Amino acid sequence: MSVSAPRIFTLTALAMIAFAANSILARLALSGEGHIGPWGFTAIRFISGAICLGLIIGPPKTLRQGSWPAALALLGYGVFFSYAYILLPAGTGALILFAVVQITMIGGGLWAGERLRLMQWLGLALAMGGLVYLMMPSLAPPSPIGAAMMAVSGLGWGVYSLMGRGTGDPAALTAGNFLRAAIICTVVTVPLMWVLPETQPLPIGITLALASGILTSGLGYVIWYMALKHLTATRAGIAQLTVPIIAAIGGMLFIAEPFTSRFFIAMCVTLGGVALATLPLKALLKAPSE
């Protein structure tokens, strides 16, 4: 069934907003104020997302959908993302995460036979340059452990996104993957807390984790899987370069971060690069042979 380019654009934009909102929620929850620990945030995030999606889709269908490899990739992204957030500055972490996501998704697309035109390579370089320009003031020599964990997180998300480009019901696939990730979380929580104990989570930390699991992760990833069915791997990767910009706007609105001329220039450069790499809109549609 043919899907209009405006619909694909809308789905992709909504997914990017969800990803950015998820980043803001994680930043608020895992700040130095001790609202919740990284594993507590991750476990609540995936268990609440699984329960919500399972109720929407229905347990029988949820149990039949998804896969353990996809669930492991999803959980790997979430776990290492949370732990890396307590060791890395936000700017440095964002650059590592999205650089690895691009390498994974674009590399996977090229391996599968996709090819980027010259203008797309230029757009990708321009978008990455805009992000580097935005984050440069906050860049610091990263913690080797934190950088490694964020790189694994980016690899997990890239692999999970590549797996989501197949056929099937996006909502059911996401529900099945979340269920499997939640099962793993439940099984390993007690032994992990014995090895890496965390303080008791506060109500605000639990609330932020629930919002992340149910809204920006569970429902957000359903929207992403819906968009992925009509995106090439390379264009899906490039589109995610908009997430740090959207997250920065969210930080200004909800965390009182300042609006600066550097941000405005970086936003224009990054969004211009993404537009250059993905327009015209009809190019977002997958070719029948893909």
Side-chain angles (χ1 to χ4, degrees):
M1 182 178 64
S2 177
V3 179
S4 67
R7 175 178 169 80
I8 298 170
F9 176 82
T10 300
L11 289 173
T12 305
L14 288 173
M16 298 305 102
I17 292 171
F19 296 165
N22 203 40
S23 180
I24 293 170
L25 290 171
R27 188 180 305 173
L28 289 170
L30 298 169
S31 65
E33 299 178 15
H35 297 317
I36 192 171
W39 179 256
F41 181 86
T42 302
I44 293 173
R45 176 184 179 185
F46 285 112
I47 293 172
S48 64
I51 293 173
C52 174
L53 292 172
L55 291 174
I56 294 173
I57 303 302
K61 190 172 183 180
T62 299
L63 289 170
R64 294 194 302 267
Q65 298 294 320
S67 68
W68 288 105
L72 287 172
L74 176 64
L75 187 60
Y77 150 74
V79 171
F80 286 100
F81 177 80
S82 296
Y83 278 96
Y85 242 121
I86 63 176
L87 294 174
L88 290 176
T92 304
L95 283 178
I96 295 172
L97 175 67
F98 285 96
V100 175
V101 169
Q102 303 322 303
I103 292 171
T104 303
M105 294 200 67
I106 293 176
L110 294 175
W111 180 266
E114 296 177 12
R115 293 294 180 265
L116 292 178
R117 302 186 305 273
L118 175 60
M119 294 302 289
Q120 290 177 307
W121 282 114
L122 292 175
L124 175 61
L126 189 64
M128 287 294 292
L131 290 182
V132 171
Y133 178 73
L134 173 64
M135 303 298 183
M136 190 64 72
S138 62
L139 289 180
S143 158
I145 296 176
M149 288 194 295
M150 189 61 82
V152 174
S153 176
L155 178 63
W157 180 250
V159 170
Y160 181 72
S161 294
L162 288 171
M163 289 180 174
R165 297 182 60 248
T167 59
D169 181 351
L173 285 172
T174 305
N177 292 332
F178 261 74
L179 174 62
R180 286 162 175 77
I183 291 173
I184 298 172
C185 284
T186 303
V187 170
V188 305
T189 289
V190 172
L192 184 64
M193 288 298 94
W194 184 76
V195 176
L196 297 172
E198 296 180 358
T199 57
Q200 190 75 16
L202 299 177
I204 185 174
I206 295 174
T207 301
L208 291 168
L210 287 172
S212 174
I214 296 171
L215 298 176
T216 59
S217 294
L219 299 180
Y221 295 176
V222 169
I223 296 172
W224 181 230
Y225 262 28
M226 291 172 65
L228 280 171
K229 293 179 69 175
H230 309 285
L231 291 170
T232 63
T234 51
R235 290 191 176 92
I238 293 169
Q240 292 181 83
L241 290 173
T242 61
V243 174
I245 296 295
I246 301 172
I249 294 174
M252 295 171 193
L253 294 175
F254 300 106
I255 316 179
E257 295 180 350
F259 181 89
T260 64
S261 58
R262 175 178 287 272
F263 169 75
F264 180 75
I265 294 172
M267 178 181 67
C268 292
V269 172
T270 301
L271 296 182
V274 171
L276 185 65
T278 59
L279 293 178
L281 283 178
K282 66 179 180 180
L284 291 169
L285 289 169
K286 292 198 303 182
S289 60
E290 293 178 346

